[in-house]
Structure formats: C-alpha cells, structure tokens
Amino acid sequence: MGFLLLAPSKIAWIISITKAGTSISNPKSKKYRSTVFRANMPPGPFIAPNPQVVVLLDGKSFPVLFDVTKVEKKDLFTGTFMPSTELTGGYRVLSYLDPSEPNHAKLKQLMFYLLKTRRDHVIPEFNASYTELFTSLEKNLALRGKASFGDANDQAAFNFLARCWFGADPAETTLGLDGPGLVSKWVLFNLGPVLKLGLPKYLEDLTIHTFRLPPLLIKKSYQRLYDFFYASSGLLLDEAENLGISREEACHNLLFTTCFNSFGGMRIVFTNMMKWLGRAGTKLHARLAEEVRSEVRSNGGSITMRGMEQMPLMKSVVYEALRIEPPVSLQYGKAKRDLIIESHDAAFEVKEGEMLFGFQPFATKDPKIFTQAEEFVADRFVGEGEKLLKHVLWSNGPETEKPTLENKQCAGKDFVVLVSRLFLVELFLRYDSFEVEVASSPLGAAVTVTSLKRASF
Ligand code: HEM
C-alpha cells in the first residue's frame, strides 16, 4: 500500500480550479460538478517532473485504474514522483513495478509464497501480540487515564508481522523495540513530498514538498532493519533464489512489503476501525460482543477462520470501515493509449501517456452506488448487502476479485481482511465497550483510548 494524504482543502482546491473540464460529449462536465477533470498535483517540479493529472472522482470512472490493459503502473505507487531507489537498497521494489516487467510476477510470487507458508502462524501470533497491546493499553489507562492507541498498535503490529512471517521476535535481537520508530523515519523519507506533518503550510511547501530529504541521512536506520530481515528470512531467500531473484533484492522487497505495505497499512486500518467503532457507540459494541462471543463459545473457545465466517456483523463492519475511509486514498495509472473514460453522465477523452489520478473516497462514497454513503452503516454488507462488495476498492481492485501475478491488486488482500477480523474478535472478546478521542495525524488519525469496559458476559 502507499499511504498518501491529500488534505480536504487540497481536494477543494483541485475541484475549484477545474471549471474548464475536458468532456468530449457532455458540456455539463465543464461545470463545477464534473467528476473527471485535469489538474496539477503536488509535489513541485524539483521532485515531480510532470505534476499534471486527470482526476477521477466517481465510482464509475475510478475502476479504469485497475485495468492494466489500459493503464501502466510503473513507478507511480506514490503518485507523480518516485522516491529515490537509494531508500530501497538501489532496487525498484515490487510496488513500483508494472505487471509487464518480468520481476513483477517473480516478486509477487514470493509474497504469495510468504503468505501461504506462514498462514498457520497468523491466528496464534496475532493473539500473542495483540494480547500485549491490550495489556499495555490497560496499564496506561490505569496510570494516566488515557492511552495512545497508535503507539501500542505500532509495537503490536511490528512484532506480530516479524513473529508471524519471519519467526523472529524483534525484542530478542539487536533491533529491540526500535522497529516501529525506524520504519516511521524511513517512511518520512519516502513520502515527505506529499505528507502533511502539521508544520505551517508555507514551511512544509518550501521544504519537504519542494526538496527530497537526502537518503544518506536514513541509511544507518534502514541498515538495521535490513540486517534484522536478512537474518530472519533464510528460507524465504532460498525460495527467492529458486524464483530467480537474488537474496539481496528479495530481502529489500520483503522489508518493503512488511514495513511499508503491511505495517503501514495495519497502522491506518486498525486506527480507522477504532475511530469509526468508537464513534458508533455502545449499542453496536454490544451487538458485536454478542455475535463474536457466542460464535467463539460454540467453537469451544477457539478463534478460527471458519468461525469468523459465521460473524456477519463483524465482517460487515470491517468492510464498512474499509469503504468509508479507504486506507490508501490515492491511486494512479498512466494511460497506455488514447482512452475514453466514462463517468456516470459523461465521457472524457484522455491521451496516451496522461497520468490518471483517482481519489478513492469519492468512488466508495458515491451516492449513486451507496445509500447513506457518508454514514458508517455497520451492517451495510450483511446478507443482500454483500452484492455491494464489488464497490469496495481499498485493495486497488474490487473486493470480489483476487490479486494475481498479472494485476496490481494488493498481494495482502485476504491477509488484511483476516487480521482486521481478528482485531475485532480479540477486542470484543475482551471488552463490552470502549471510548476514544480522535485527532488528526500525518498518516491517518491519532486515536487515544479513554475507557475500556471489561467483558461482563
Ligand atoms: C494493511 C493494509 C493494506 C492496505 C490498505 C494495502 C493497500 C494496497 C494498495 C492500495 C495497493 C496498490 C497500490 C497501487 O498500485 O496503486 C497495494 C499493493 C500492494 N500491497 Fe497492499 N495493502 C495493505 C497490506 C498489505 C499486506 C499485508 C501485504 C503483504 C503481502 C501487501 C502487499 C502489497 C504488494 C506486494 C503490493 C503491490 C502489488 C503488485 O505490484 O502487484 N499489502 N496494497
């Protein structure tokens, strides 16, 4: 995943400068309300050679970004600029590769192999790491009356991924508890040009949005992460060699997938779920606790994949959180040829080589597709509602489709849904209800837990 943020004000700005729309068939699109138009995107010209994009803002036009026969996905994971390859050991890692490049299939195969060979570790390691999270939240609540969810989740997510996929406990190595901090700094070097850190706007625009942070400054931190992964990935690196990838290139890719795609994603997804559930209130919490506990009890107290399939409300809540606030909100693709792109009520001509940019929340909150599109409707995807899953797009593709070696859909799609479900199950097995305070942060929300009500039934 790539977790870029564009402030709502920037979207308003894009919309407001696009009165000259580009419809070839419908003059209405020239008006303010057009959902497809041309605009310029940050960052500035020292970082991005060409800031021009065609913006797609509705659920009909957006899916063209998933069609790799129409769009090229080379070097645009982070948008109109690409971070220096010095940040990834000199390699263009998988997320930046187009499926037409031979390494794409090899590296994606390696990620599928990782997920498959380690799948039996997911449920027990998740339980172990997230038990630590809840213990730490409770401790901090008792001490200070509140607890940062983000800090505890960073530690839990990193430990979980390391233990689950690499069979290594960071605390028992020289990495200690430093993993999440090292990753955060490295992500800043990757995404600085498009991050909002909360400094005065002019300061950010003159600094990180105009010039790249020198990769040399992060080299030592990155090396510590690399050494940890290299020492723990022996069998995976053997498999990589079988697939025709050098051990070194494979390790940089495993690091990126674990730290950027997965850790970065879990940070945003879990925080968002806490936020939306916190806002939804105690009635929904009670329904979830009832559903989760009765199913786990009927399974003799065990959490299983099959058991979780029998929790329709919990499953729907996960999808609704991914719909209402897609964790990676910005997607890009370069037109492979001249294209006609259709929105709900117009068609637009796009030239070969033009950069298409979709802001996903507009697609997944399109009122022509979802009723009460702006509201968190917990049971939206229960029963008949499952038909709407094809419009849930967080994984860079419809929820009803699968990542393959030929497409650019998130390799971890099923894993993400699984761990999100596990998170809710662990949460509602322990607590009847909880309360949070929400503030903004450079990547997603900052959630502070202010109360946890222990399970009473
Ligand atoms: C936790 C939440 C996650 C989110 C929200 C997320 C989201 C995404 C998105 C939106 C893309 C496509 C980006 C683009 O090309 O425009 C992507 C690609 C990718 N994701 Fe995820 N991801 C998550 C977790 C994971 C996990 C756990 C893995 C582990 C295997 C993973 C591996 C990848 C890879 C390898 C790609 C590139 C796929 C390709 O080149 O074909 N992601 N992800």
mmCIF file of all heavy atoms in Angstrom, residues 1-34:
data_model
loop_
_atom_site.group_PDB
_atom_site.id
_atom_site.type_symbol
_atom_site.label_atom_id
_atom_site.label_comp_id
_atom_site.label_asym_id
_atom_site.label_seq_id
_atom_site.Cartn_x
_atom_site.Cartn_y
_atom_site.Cartn_z
ATOM 1 N N MET A 1 0.826 -1.181 0.000
ATOM 2 C CA MET A 1 0.000 0.000 0.000
ATOM 3 C C MET A 1 0.858 1.227 0.000
ATOM 4 O O MET A 1 2.013 1.187 0.310
ATOM 5 C CB MET A 1 -0.941 -0.013 1.197
ATOM 6 C CG MET A 1 -0.314 -0.195 2.550
ATOM 7 S SD MET A 1 0.420 1.226 3.232
ATOM 8 C CE MET A 1 -0.921 2.329 3.196
ATOM 9 N N GLY A 2 0.314 2.371 -0.343
ATOM 10 C CA GLY A 2 1.032 3.629 -0.250
ATOM 11 C C GLY A 2 0.102 4.562 0.456
ATOM 12 O O GLY A 2 -1.009 4.756 0.015
ATOM 13 N N PHE A 3 0.550 5.115 1.565
ATOM 14 C CA PHE A 3 -0.441 5.848 2.326
ATOM 15 C C PHE A 3 -0.203 7.345 2.201
ATOM 16 O O PHE A 3 0.511 7.952 2.954
ATOM 17 C CB PHE A 3 -0.493 5.394 3.796
ATOM 18 C CG PHE A 3 0.792 4.911 4.358
ATOM 19 C CD1 PHE A 3 1.529 5.709 5.188
ATOM 20 C CD2 PHE A 3 1.240 3.645 4.050
ATOM 21 C CE1 PHE A 3 2.701 5.248 5.725
ATOM 22 C CE2 PHE A 3 2.412 3.187 4.585
ATOM 23 C CZ PHE A 3 3.155 3.985 5.422
ATOM 24 N N LEU A 4 -0.795 7.900 1.171
ATOM 25 C CA LEU A 4 -0.618 9.316 0.922
ATOM 26 C C LEU A 4 -1.803 10.094 1.439
ATOM 27 O O LEU A 4 -2.904 9.602 1.466
ATOM 28 C CB LEU A 4 -0.530 9.552 -0.573
ATOM 29 C CG LEU A 4 0.450 8.668 -1.291
ATOM 30 C CD1 LEU A 4 0.617 9.149 -2.699
ATOM 31 C CD2 LEU A 4 1.771 8.644 -0.589
ATOM 32 N N LEU A 5 -1.523 11.296 1.835
ATOM 33 C CA LEU A 5 -2.619 12.128 2.311
ATOM 34 C C LEU A 5 -2.762 13.369 1.456
ATOM 35 O O LEU A 5 -1.793 14.002 1.128
ATOM 36 C CB LEU A 5 -2.316 12.604 3.722
ATOM 37 C CG LEU A 5 -2.497 11.582 4.813
ATOM 38 C CD1 LEU A 5 -2.435 12.283 6.131
ATOM 39 C CD2 LEU A 5 -3.825 10.876 4.654
ATOM 40 N N LEU A 6 -3.980 13.660 1.115
ATOM 41 C CA LEU A 6 -4.230 14.923 0.467
ATOM 42 C C LEU A 6 -5.304 15.570 1.314
ATOM 43 O O LEU A 6 -6.364 15.000 1.512
ATOM 44 C CB LEU A 6 -4.751 14.659 -0.950
ATOM 45 C CG LEU A 6 -4.621 15.808 -1.914
ATOM 46 C CD1 LEU A 6 -3.168 16.184 -2.099
ATOM 47 C CD2 LEU A 6 -5.215 15.433 -3.242
ATOM 48 N N ALA A 7 -4.999 16.714 1.859
ATOM 49 C CA ALA A 7 -5.954 17.346 2.761
ATOM 50 C C ALA A 7 -7.225 17.686 1.999
ATOM 51 O O ALA A 7 -7.169 17.961 0.806
ATOM 52 C CB ALA A 7 -5.343 18.620 3.318
ATOM 53 N N PRO A 8 -8.384 17.666 2.689
ATOM 54 C CA PRO A 8 -9.623 18.034 2.021
ATOM 55 C C PRO A 8 -9.503 19.393 1.327
ATOM 56 O O PRO A 8 -10.048 19.601 0.252
ATOM 57 C CB PRO A 8 -10.633 18.081 3.167
ATOM 58 C CG PRO A 8 -10.066 17.163 4.204
ATOM 59 C CD PRO A 8 -8.573 17.250 4.061
ATOM 60 N N SER A 9 -8.730 20.306 1.930
ATOM 61 C CA SER A 9 -8.603 21.631 1.321
ATOM 62 C C SER A 9 -7.956 21.511 -0.059
ATOM 63 O O SER A 9 -8.259 22.261 -0.972
ATOM 64 C CB SER A 9 -7.775 22.546 2.202
ATOM 65 O OG SER A 9 -6.479 22.008 2.343
ATOM 66 N N LYS A 10 -7.030 20.543 -0.202
ATOM 67 C CA LYS A 10 -6.361 20.358 -1.484
ATOM 68 C C LYS A 10 -7.360 19.839 -2.530
ATOM 69 O O LYS A 10 -7.344 20.254 -3.688
ATOM 70 C CB LYS A 10 -5.201 19.376 -1.300
ATOM 71 C CG LYS A 10 -4.353 19.181 -2.518
ATOM 72 C CD LYS A 10 -3.626 20.435 -2.942
ATOM 73 C CE LYS A 10 -2.399 20.703 -2.098
ATOM 74 N NZ LYS A 10 -1.694 21.926 -2.514
ATOM 75 N N ILE A 11 -8.231 18.943 -2.088
ATOM 76 C CA ILE A 11 -9.258 18.432 -3.000
ATOM 77 C C ILE A 11 -10.172 19.583 -3.411
ATOM 78 O O ILE A 11 -10.481 19.760 -4.586
ATOM 79 C CB ILE A 11 -10.087 17.322 -2.316
ATOM 80 C CG1 ILE A 11 -9.204 16.094 -2.098
ATOM 81 C CG2 ILE A 11 -11.296 16.944 -3.155
ATOM 82 C CD1 ILE A 11 -8.686 15.438 -3.349
ATOM 83 N N ALA A 12 -10.564 20.393 -2.437
ATOM 84 C CA ALA A 12 -11.430 21.537 -2.755
ATOM 85 C C ALA A 12 -10.718 22.433 -3.757
ATOM 86 O O ALA A 12 -11.313 22.928 -4.714
ATOM 87 C CB ALA A 12 -11.739 22.311 -1.487
ATOM 88 N N TRP A 13 -9.403 22.584 -3.558
ATOM 89 C CA TRP A 13 -8.615 23.404 -4.462
ATOM 90 C C TRP A 13 -8.606 22.807 -5.864
ATOM 91 O O TRP A 13 -8.833 23.489 -6.851
ATOM 92 C CB TRP A 13 -7.191 23.509 -3.895
ATOM 93 C CG TRP A 13 -6.181 24.014 -4.869
ATOM 94 C CD1 TRP A 13 -5.991 25.303 -5.258
ATOM 95 C CD2 TRP A 13 -5.229 23.248 -5.596
ATOM 96 N NE1 TRP A 13 -4.977 25.375 -6.166
ATOM 97 C CE2 TRP A 13 -4.484 24.125 -6.394
ATOM 98 C CE3 TRP A 13 -4.923 21.888 -5.647
ATOM 99 C CZ2 TRP A 13 -3.467 23.700 -7.222
ATOM 100 C CZ3 TRP A 13 -3.905 21.460 -6.469
ATOM 101 C CH2 TRP A 13 -3.185 22.363 -7.250
ATOM 102 N N ILE A 14 -8.399 21.486 -5.918
ATOM 103 C CA ILE A 14 -8.395 20.834 -7.231
ATOM 104 C C ILE A 14 -9.741 21.045 -7.911
ATOM 105 O O ILE A 14 -9.808 21.418 -9.077
ATOM 106 C CB ILE A 14 -8.128 19.316 -7.090
ATOM 107 C CG1 ILE A 14 -6.675 19.077 -6.692
ATOM 108 C CG2 ILE A 14 -8.414 18.605 -8.401
ATOM 109 C CD1 ILE A 14 -6.336 17.621 -6.475
ATOM 110 N N ILE A 15 -10.809 20.836 -7.131
ATOM 111 C CA ILE A 15 -12.133 20.974 -7.731
ATOM 112 C C ILE A 15 -12.352 22.413 -8.197
ATOM 113 O O ILE A 15 -12.825 22.661 -9.294
ATOM 114 C CB ILE A 15 -13.226 20.548 -6.730
ATOM 115 C CG1 ILE A 15 -13.118 19.035 -6.502
ATOM 116 C CG2 ILE A 15 -14.616 20.897 -7.249
ATOM 117 C CD1 ILE A 15 -13.998 18.499 -5.422
ATOM 118 N N SER A 16 -11.894 23.348 -7.393
ATOM 119 C CA SER A 16 -12.202 24.735 -7.734
ATOM 120 C C SER A 16 -11.410 25.246 -8.935
ATOM 121 O O SER A 16 -11.815 26.184 -9.584
ATOM 122 C CB SER A 16 -11.967 25.646 -6.528
ATOM 123 O OG SER A 16 -10.597 25.692 -6.271
ATOM 124 N N ILE A 17 -10.274 24.615 -9.228
ATOM 125 C CA ILE A 17 -9.522 25.112 -10.383
ATOM 126 C C ILE A 17 -9.863 24.372 -11.669
ATOM 127 O O ILE A 17 -9.161 24.458 -12.652
ATOM 128 C CB ILE A 17 -7.999 24.998 -10.172
ATOM 129 C CG1 ILE A 17 -7.603 23.534 -9.959
ATOM 130 C CG2 ILE A 17 -7.516 25.901 -9.093
ATOM 131 C CD1 ILE A 17 -6.125 23.287 -10.146
ATOM 132 N N THR A 18 -10.931 23.589 -11.638
ATOM 133 C CA THR A 18 -11.157 22.731 -12.800
ATOM 134 C C THR A 18 -12.435 23.060 -13.526
ATOM 135 O O THR A 18 -13.042 22.196 -14.137
ATOM 136 C CB THR A 18 -11.205 21.279 -12.363
ATOM 137 O OG1 THR A 18 -12.177 21.186 -11.356
ATOM 138 C CG2 THR A 18 -9.880 20.808 -11.895
ATOM 139 N N LYS A 19 -12.793 24.321 -13.469
ATOM 140 C CA LYS A 19 -14.046 24.658 -14.147
ATOM 141 C C LYS A 19 -13.927 24.387 -15.637
ATOM 142 O O LYS A 19 -14.906 24.116 -16.301
ATOM 143 C CB LYS A 19 -14.423 26.092 -13.839
ATOM 144 C CG LYS A 19 -14.847 26.196 -12.378
ATOM 145 C CD LYS A 19 -15.322 27.563 -12.026
ATOM 146 C CE LYS A 19 -15.670 27.587 -10.543
ATOM 147 N NZ LYS A 19 -15.580 28.882 -9.957
ATOM 148 N N ALA A 20 -12.700 24.425 -16.173
ATOM 149 C CA ALA A 20 -12.529 24.063 -17.577
ATOM 150 C C ALA A 20 -12.366 22.559 -17.671
ATOM 151 O O ALA A 20 -11.263 22.037 -17.687
ATOM 152 C CB ALA A 20 -11.315 24.761 -18.149
ATOM 153 N N GLY A 21 -13.457 21.842 -17.688
ATOM 154 C CA GLY A 21 -13.423 20.381 -17.755
ATOM 155 C C GLY A 21 -13.031 19.922 -19.148
ATOM 156 O O GLY A 21 -12.773 20.720 -20.037
ATOM 157 N N THR A 22 -12.991 18.608 -19.348
ATOM 158 C CA THR A 22 -12.460 18.104 -20.607
ATOM 159 C C THR A 22 -13.405 17.129 -21.279
ATOM 160 O O THR A 22 -12.987 16.243 -21.989
ATOM 161 C CB THR A 22 -11.127 17.404 -20.350
ATOM 162 O OG1 THR A 22 -11.369 16.398 -19.389
ATOM 163 C CG2 THR A 22 -10.083 18.361 -19.870
ATOM 164 N N SER A 23 -14.685 17.292 -21.044
ATOM 165 C CA SER A 23 -15.627 16.363 -21.644
ATOM 166 C C SER A 23 -15.628 16.495 -23.158
ATOM 167 O O SER A 23 -15.526 17.581 -23.698
ATOM 168 C CB SER A 23 -17.026 16.680 -21.131
ATOM 169 O OG SER A 23 -17.968 16.021 -21.921
ATOM 170 N N ILE A 24 -15.735 15.346 -23.832
ATOM 171 C CA ILE A 24 -15.882 15.442 -25.275
ATOM 172 C C ILE A 24 -17.337 15.297 -25.676
ATOM 173 O O ILE A 24 -17.695 15.536 -26.795
ATOM 174 C CB ILE A 24 -15.060 14.369 -26.019
ATOM 175 C CG1 ILE A 24 -15.387 12.974 -25.491
ATOM 176 C CG2 ILE A 24 -13.590 14.669 -25.922
ATOM 177 C CD1 ILE A 24 -14.931 11.878 -26.408
ATOM 178 N N SER A 25 -18.192 14.859 -24.728
ATOM 179 C CA SER A 25 -19.551 14.598 -25.158
ATOM 180 C C SER A 25 -20.584 15.379 -24.360
ATOM 181 O O SER A 25 -21.716 15.430 -24.740
ATOM 182 C CB SER A 25 -19.851 13.118 -25.028
ATOM 183 O OG SER A 25 -19.886 12.790 -23.661
ATOM 184 N N ASN A 26 -20.183 15.897 -23.237
ATOM 185 C CA ASN A 26 -21.180 16.492 -22.375
ATOM 186 C C ASN A 26 -20.684 17.806 -21.776
ATOM 187 O O ASN A 26 -19.803 17.813 -20.929
ATOM 188 C CB ASN A 26 -21.509 15.500 -21.251
ATOM 189 C CG ASN A 26 -22.671 15.979 -20.428
ATOM 190 O OD1 ASN A 26 -22.997 17.161 -20.441
ATOM 191 N ND2 ASN A 26 -23.291 15.066 -19.710
ATOM 192 N N PRO A 27 -21.239 18.909 -22.234
ATOM 193 C CA PRO A 27 -20.753 20.194 -21.750
ATOM 194 C C PRO A 27 -20.956 20.388 -20.252
ATOM 195 O O PRO A 27 -20.280 21.196 -19.640
ATOM 196 C CB PRO A 27 -21.571 21.209 -22.553
ATOM 197 C CG PRO A 27 -22.697 20.443 -23.148
ATOM 198 C CD PRO A 27 -22.309 19.010 -23.199
ATOM 199 N N LYS A 28 -21.829 19.583 -19.663
ATOM 200 C CA LYS A 28 -22.060 19.712 -18.215
ATOM 201 C C LYS A 28 -20.774 19.501 -17.431
ATOM 202 O O LYS A 28 -20.570 20.055 -16.371
ATOM 203 C CB LYS A 28 -23.061 18.642 -17.772
ATOM 204 C CG LYS A 28 -24.479 19.087 -17.776
ATOM 205 C CD LYS A 28 -25.279 18.110 -16.946
ATOM 206 C CE LYS A 28 -26.633 17.899 -17.603
ATOM 207 N NZ LYS A 28 -27.219 16.636 -17.236
ATOM 208 N N SER A 29 -19.922 18.631 -17.968
ATOM 209 C CA SER A 29 -18.706 18.317 -17.230
ATOM 210 C C SER A 29 -17.802 19.532 -17.090
ATOM 211 O O SER A 29 -16.878 19.529 -16.304
ATOM 212 C CB SER A 29 -17.948 17.201 -17.927
ATOM 213 O OG SER A 29 -17.518 17.678 -19.169
ATOM 214 N N LYS A 30 -18.062 20.544 -17.921
ATOM 215 C CA LYS A 30 -17.259 21.759 -17.810
ATOM 216 C C LYS A 30 -17.643 22.561 -16.581
ATOM 217 O O LYS A 30 -16.968 23.484 -16.180
ATOM 218 C CB LYS A 30 -17.409 22.602 -19.065
ATOM 219 C CG LYS A 30 -16.777 21.925 -20.260
ATOM 220 C CD LYS A 30 -16.612 22.869 -21.405
ATOM 221 C CE LYS A 30 -15.816 22.160 -22.503
ATOM 222 N NZ LYS A 30 -15.941 22.801 -23.764
ATOM 223 N N LYS A 31 -18.763 22.198 -16.010
ATOM 224 C CA LYS A 31 -19.213 22.945 -14.842
ATOM 225 C C LYS A 31 -18.501 22.453 -13.607
ATOM 226 O O LYS A 31 -17.859 21.411 -13.585
ATOM 227 C CB LYS A 31 -20.719 22.782 -14.677
ATOM 228 C CG LYS A 31 -21.497 23.488 -15.749
ATOM 229 C CD LYS A 31 -22.950 23.472 -15.380
ATOM 230 C CE LYS A 31 -23.775 24.002 -16.537
ATOM 231 N NZ LYS A 31 -25.161 23.600 -16.395
ATOM 232 N N TYR A 32 -18.651 23.139 -12.567
ATOM 233 C CA TYR A 32 -18.059 22.868 -11.276
ATOM 234 C C TYR A 32 -18.223 21.422 -10.827
ATOM 235 O O TYR A 32 -17.359 20.821 -10.229
ATOM 236 C CB TYR A 32 -18.725 23.816 -10.292
ATOM 237 C CG TYR A 32 -18.219 23.722 -8.901
ATOM 238 C CD1 TYR A 32 -17.055 24.394 -8.541
ATOM 239 C CD2 TYR A 32 -18.885 22.978 -7.950
ATOM 240 C CE1 TYR A 32 -16.574 24.321 -7.262
ATOM 241 C CE2 TYR A 32 -18.417 22.890 -6.664
ATOM 242 C CZ TYR A 32 -17.271 23.574 -6.318
ATOM 243 O OH TYR A 32 -16.811 23.494 -5.052
ATOM 244 N N ARG A 33 -19.362 20.806 -11.171
ATOM 245 C CA ARG A 33 -19.663 19.486 -10.619
ATOM 246 C C ARG A 33 -19.029 18.312 -11.365
ATOM 247 O O ARG A 33 -19.266 17.164 -11.032
ATOM 248 C CB ARG A 33 -21.182 19.281 -10.598
ATOM 249 C CG ARG A 33 -21.825 20.041 -9.501
ATOM 250 C CD ARG A 33 -23.324 19.934 -9.587
ATOM 251 N NE ARG A 33 -23.906 20.582 -8.427
ATOM 252 C CZ ARG A 33 -24.024 20.020 -7.247
ATOM 253 N NH1 ARG A 33 -23.605 18.795 -7.065
ATOM 254 N NH2 ARG A 33 -24.538 20.684 -6.229
ATOM 255 N N SER A 34 -18.244 18.562 -12.352
ATOM 256 C CA SER A 34 -17.652 17.469 -13.107
ATOM 257 C C SER A 34 -16.881 16.513 -12.198
ATOM 258 O O SER A 34 -16.212 16.934 -11.262
ATOM 259 C CB SER A 34 -16.691 18.042 -14.146
ATOM 260 O OG SER A 34 -15.978 16.994 -14.736
#
